Amino acid sequence: RATRSGEEVRGYVPSMGQIFMRRFQLVTQLRQALENGEVSVHYQPKVSLPSRHVRGVEALVRWEHPEFGKLHPDEFVPAIEAAGLIGALTSFVLDEALARVRRWLDEGLRISVAVNLSVRTLLDAEFPEQVAAALERFAVPPELLTLELTESGVMSNPQRALPVLRELHALGVVLAVDDFGTGYSSLAYLRQLPVDEVKIDKSFVLGMGTDLGDLAVVRSIVELGHSLGLTVVAEGVEEDVARDQLESMGCDVAQGYLISRPLSERRLEAWLHARTTR
Ligand code: C2E
Ligand code: CA
Ligand code: CA
Ligand code: CA
């Protein structure tokens, strides 16, 4: 399936040579950047349907690079992953996200946070222990942490990924399958995974207003997801019409620019405040 995801439009397109050099530089600069505060976590709210109550946020990493400007994860996560450094980035995001949830708990708010995992992390037998330690360190109940993984991540090596997933699930964290519908596996395969949530890939949600095929895919993921007892989340909700359609199909959660773009921590606080005092 060709990528039709309507990512934010970026300023200019670098050449292959520039991309290669950049990747190399980014990999060598990561640790320093984490220490310097160049890397930060933005949060995108998710709301329940039909109530529209804030249900949680997804942590999305950003790199404010002194030379290259604001970088989105698609521009550096693959290189970091290929260089075997994803562990450092994941721990950083996990700690930031759990610290955020801890501060909300201290203010009397129960808002969950979702962290994206890369393929490598799913194959790391030490990862569940690391998550358990982080939850304990921030005294965050496990159900307030969601871990998002992709089908292709699990499929790359099911023998190694499955025990990791089972251990994570046993901790009580919520496991979500991200970008659902774009991979190779079927909903039948989902039954064999210890997951709680399925996120419909945004390409289908963005397309469902104009493409009957996309609409059919969304509808069947909602129905079959529910028949398997899963929470169904739609990402890429940009229009009122899409939200209304999802609501009428019984989709549980919506995320997308219609609700909010990913926000810096400070802007998220303002957004939440405006929402709860209205
Ligand atoms: P994803 O997990 O599928 O995240 C959703 C992406 O869609 C985000 O892009 C988000 O900004 C964008 N988006 C949200 N709402 C809408 C909408 O209504 N319309 C459209 N067109 N796009 C929307 P972002 O932040 O650039 O992240 C890209 C990918 O990078 C993520 O895709 C995720 O796979 C990965 N990623 C992000 N943070 C991390 C991280 O901390 N660790 C790892 N390993 N990967 C990360
Ligand atoms: Ca995600
Ligand atoms: Ca996704
Ligand atoms: Ca994606």
Side-chain angles (χ1 to χ4, degrees):
R1 184 179 188 97
T3 39
R4 299 191 278 125
S5 63
E7 295 285 344
E8 288 165 61
V9 181
R10 315 277 155 74
Y12 85 114
V13 183
S15 73
M16 286 307 287
Q18 282 172 311
I19 289 174
F20 185 83
M21 277 304 295
R22 221 192 227 209
R23 284 176 69 112
F24 180 75
Q25 271 178 283
L26 292 174
V27 164
T28 58
Q29 292 166 345
L30 178 73
R31 273 187 200 279
Q32 196 68 54
L34 289 172
E35 282 167 24
N36 288 346
E38 285 169 34
V39 180
S40 68
V41 179
H42 282 211
Y43 298 92
Q44 186 176 36
K46 299 194 258 187
V47 298
S48 294
L49 295 177
S51 74
R52 303 186 194 174
H53 286 153
V54 180
R55 161 126 176 182
V57 295
E58 177 174 3
L60 295 160
V61 73
R62 299 288 181 259
W63 187 340
E64 192 62 58
H65 194 279
E67 190 182 336
F68 306 137
K70 184 180 175 181
L71 300 178
H72 277 248
D74 293 336
E75 297 167 281
F76 62 88
V77 166
I80 300 298
E81 190 168 27
L85 296 176
I86 197 69
L89 188 67
T90 307
S91 333
F92 173 82
V93 175
L94 189 63
D95 283 7
E96 287 285 301
L98 292 178
R100 183 63 271 172
V101 174
R102 180 66 254 163
R103 288 196 294 276
W104 281 324
L105 286 170
D106 294 340
E107 294 162 18
L109 294 169
R110 271 180 77 87
I111 299 175
S112 77
V113 74
V115 171
N116 289 284
L117 299 186
S118 75
V119 178
R120 293 256 187 142
T121 308
L122 284 182
L123 307 179
D124 178 359
E126 317 268 271
F127 184 66
E129 260 173 65
Q130 206 186 306
V131 172
L135 287 168
E136 202 171 285
R137 193 148 29 90
F138 292 99
V140 167
E143 65 274 14
L144 293 182
L145 175 66
T146 298
L147 298 174
E148 298 192 0
L149 41 116
T150 57
E151 313 166 67
S152 51
V154 180
M155 293 301 278
S156 74
N157 190 339
Q159 292 91 332
R160 264 177 76 188
L162 273 173
V164 174
L165 290 186
R166 290 202 189 97
E167 237 185 288
L168 289 169
H169 204 243
L171 293 176
V173 303
V174 178
L175 296 183
V177 179
D178 205 353
D179 301 344
F180 194 79
T182 57
Y184 308 101
S185 62
S186 61
L187 272 162
Y189 179 75
L190 260 192
R191 262 178 30 176
Q192 297 167 41
L193 299 180
V195 296
D196 313 279
E197 188 176 295
V198 57
K199 290 187 85 170
I200 309 171
D201 189 70
K202 59 178 176 287
S203 63
F204 303 108
V205 178
L206 289 168
M208 71 184 202
T210 49
D211 184 324
L212 287 175
D214 285 340
L215 184 64
V217 169
V218 171
R219 198 182 296 280
S220 62
I221 296 176
V222 172
E223 283 171 12
L224 286 160
H226 283 166
S227 72
L228 294 177
L230 304 173
T231 300
V232 182
V233 181
E235 60 175 23
V237 181
E238 294 188 357
E239 314 273 350
D240 289 329
V241 192
R243 186 204 42 217
D244 295 346
Q245 270 178 314
L246 289 160
E247 203 170 286
S248 69
M249 287 176 202
C251 182
D252 306 290
V253 181
Q255 176 181 358
Y257 296 164
L258 175 71
I259 294 113
S260 168
R261 295 210 164 229
L263 302 170
S264 67
E265 198 164 357
R266 191 174 54 80
R267 292 183 64 199
L268 174 71
E269 285 305 293
W271 186 91
L272 282 172
H273 188 75
R275 215 114 169 150
T276 46
T277 54
R278 211 178 309 165

